[in-house]
Amino acid sequence: MSNSNMTDDQRAQELSNARSKKSRYESQKAQKESKYNSNSNKINRLKGTKRVLEEQKSIAKGGYKSMKNYAKDEANFSNWTGAQRDHTHSTIEGTIVSDYNSYVDRIDDVLDAVNNEITRLQNENLRLNGDILGLASAINSLANTIRNLLN
């Protein structure tokens, strides 16, 4: 039914419905925008954490390589003899080098988790962005409907 064929009561009801729906959509849009902004802040913090972890991983890898090379170089133990030499060499090669490697692996695990969370939040923001654009379009259409009903 066109606006010119509506009774005043029908027009008032349509106007009320359109305003109510527009208000709901604006509220939903604001909530989604708030969540989007919250996610964006989390992403930025996680990216900072990721940079620190990458630096720590690089340092740990350097320590691992250094200790591994030290343990492999028999010249480092040539002045030693006996059980103490064997124990020290075994500790460096077996425990310290292995622990460094485990530390690097653990940093890798944490980096993977951080990357996964960044991706999850980015994907959520892409979905939110689509919802926000859809709501903005609906709000714009309702605003036009309201303008036409007020003509």
Side-chain angles (χ1 to χ4, degrees):
M1 182 180 314
S2 75
N3 288 341
S4 60
N5 295 336
M6 286 185 173
T7 67
D8 287 342
D9 287 343
Q10 289 172 325
R11 184 184 307 266
Q13 184 60 44
E14 286 290 320
L15 184 58
S16 176
N17 289 344
R19 284 179 172 158
S20 176
K21 192 181 242 185
K22 182 176 177 271
S23 178
R24 278 195 320 273
Y25 286 172
E26 287 169 337
S27 176
Q28 290 173 3
K29 182 176 174 266
Q31 289 172 353
K32 289 180 184 285
E33 287 170 334
S34 176
K35 180 67 173 166
Y36 180 94
N37 291 332
S38 174
N39 285 351
S40 293
N41 290 334
K42 288 177 187 176
I43 289 167
N44 288 334
R45 287 192 310 270
L46 285 168
K47 284 181 177 181
T49 299
K50 179 182 171 183
R51 281 189 294 277
V52 170
L53 287 168
E54 287 170 338
E55 290 170 15
Q56 291 302 312
K57 179 181 173 186
S58 178
I59 292 166
K61 269 185 157 179
Y64 166 73
K65 288 177 185 176
S66 176
M67 289 306 290
K68 185 175 177 182
N69 290 336
Y70 181 84
K72 282 185 176 183
D73 188 355
E74 288 296 323
N76 291 321
F77 303 97
S78 63
N79 294 331
W80 295 36
T81 59
Q84 189 63 31
R85 179 229 180 258
D86 293 343
H87 174 71
T88 302
H89 185 257
S90 174
T91 299
I92 291 171
E93 192 171 49
T95 304
I96 296 174
V97 171
S98 175
D99 287 351
Y100 258 109
N101 193 40
S102 294
Y103 179 59
V104 171
D105 288 346
R106 185 64 188 123
I107 292 173
D108 254 347
D109 292 343
V110 173
L111 268 170
D112 288 348
V114 168
N115 285 330
N116 290 342
E117 183 62 7
I118 288 170
T119 299
R120 185 190 71 75
L121 290 167
Q122 288 171 331
N123 287 339
E124 184 176 347
N125 271 4
L126 289 170
R127 285 188 297 276
L128 286 167
N129 222 7
D131 293 348
I132 291 165
L133 290 172
L135 287 165
S137 176
I139 290 166
N140 187 49
S141 293
L142 286 167
N144 184 58
T145 298
I146 292 167
R147 275 191 302 275
N148 287 341
L149 288 168
L150 292 173
N151 282 339

